[in-house]
Amino acid sequence: MTVSIELVTMIVTVATTLLGLAAGFGWMITRTDARFERFEQRMDARFEKFEQRMDARFEKVGVEFDRVDARFDRLEGEVKGLRSELGEVKIAIARLEGPAPRLLISR
């Protein structure tokens, strides 16, 4: 069985073309992966700075909230005290005024 030189040339050409395409595709994927890796590193660094800044801000807000909450707790105690004192004042005023006048006078 003899193979013509044109057939051998065609097979070698197709094989080298496919090999070249595979190598080019591999090179492209490698460059793309490297580029995405650099992008991820930049974004991770940026988000790390942002996260630290936001944590600091949330910590400040938490401290401020605790301070305001303590003030509201103190105010709640004062309101309860005022409420009991107001009840005592109402009772004292009612004693000073005497009983309420009747609407119907008995004859």
Side-chain angles (χ1 to χ4, degrees):
M1 166 164 147
T2 31
V3 179
S4 70
I5 192 72
E6 290 88 16
L7 184 59
V8 171
T9 305
M10 186 64 73
I11 291 172
V12 169
T13 303
V14 168
T16 55
T17 302
L18 291 177
L19 185 64
L21 283 173
F25 186 70
W27 175 74
M28 183 183 68
I29 293 297
T30 304
R31 284 196 62 195
T32 304
D33 285 345
R35 189 171 184 181
F36 276 122
E37 185 65 31
R38 285 193 313 263
F39 180 73
E40 282 183 0
Q41 289 173 351
R42 275 197 343 242
M43 286 297 114
D44 287 345
R46 184 180 284 177
F47 282 129
E48 182 66 30
K49 289 178 186 176
F50 179 73
E51 185 178 1
Q52 289 173 355
R53 196 172 70 210
M54 290 307 293
D55 286 345
R57 288 177 72 183
F58 278 127
E59 187 63 34
K60 286 180 185 177
V61 168
V63 169
E64 182 69 20
F65 178 79
D66 290 341
R67 189 178 63 78
V68 170
D69 188 42
R71 286 177 61 192
F72 275 116
D73 289 343
R74 190 178 40 171
L75 277 174
E76 185 179 5
E78 290 178 10
V79 167
K80 285 180 182 177
L82 288 174
R83 196 176 284 162
S84 65
E85 288 180 22
L86 182 63
E88 293 172 6
V89 169
K90 284 181 179 180
I91 291 171
I93 290 174
R95 287 183 183 153
L96 288 174
E97 290 179 349
R102 299 189 183 272
L103 296 177
L104 296 175
I105 300 174
S106 60
R107 293 185 187 183

